[in-house]
Amino acid sequence: MRYVKDLMERSAFGVCSYLGDKMGIASARVRINFIYISFVALGSPVILYIFVAFWLNVRNYIRRKRSLIWQ
């Protein structure tokens, strides 16, 4: 079961775990709240989720590039 959970976290861009780490709460609680908010707001938070996933990907790419320059 842990393998499935790790696979889903990696394929889901790690947005909920990132937000959970930043806010100091469990990532599972962030996921559940995201699901509830998506139902209430008729799916519009999905756009926010995709934006944050894109931003995290760009930020990680920039960090990798910087580390290669300074080596």
Side-chain angles (χ1 to χ4, degrees), residues 18-47:
Y18 173 78
L19 291 174
D21 290 341
K22 286 294 182 180
M23 291 188 286
I25 59 176
S27 60
R29 186 163 294 243
V30 174
R31 285 185 193 99
I32 289 172
N33 288 330
F34 180 78
I35 291 169
Y36 291 153
I37 291 170
S38 294
F39 283 129
V40 170
L42 301 175
S44 62
V46 174
I47 296 169

Side-chain angles (χ1 to χ4, degrees), residues 4-70:
V4 173
K5 179 183 171 190
D6 292 337
L7 179 66
M8 289 301 293
E9 285 179 355
R10 278 185 274 138
S11 65
F13 306 112
V15 173
C16 292
S17 60
Y18 173 78
L19 291 174
D21 290 341
K22 286 294 182 180
M23 291 188 286
I25 59 176
S27 60
R29 186 163 294 243
V30 174
R31 285 185 193 99
I32 289 172
N33 288 330
F34 180 78
I35 291 169
Y36 291 153
I37 291 170
S38 294
F39 283 129
V40 170
L42 301 175
S44 62
V46 174
I47 296 169
L48 175 67
Y49 185 89
I50 291 171
F51 175 75
V52 173
F54 174 75
W55 181 254
L56 289 175
N57 191 22
V58 167
R59 197 179 78 178
N60 288 337
Y61 179 74
I62 290 171
R63 282 186 180 172
R64 273 190 257 138
K65 283 293 189 180
R66 281 189 188 162
S67 66
L68 292 176
I69 292 173
W70 297 110

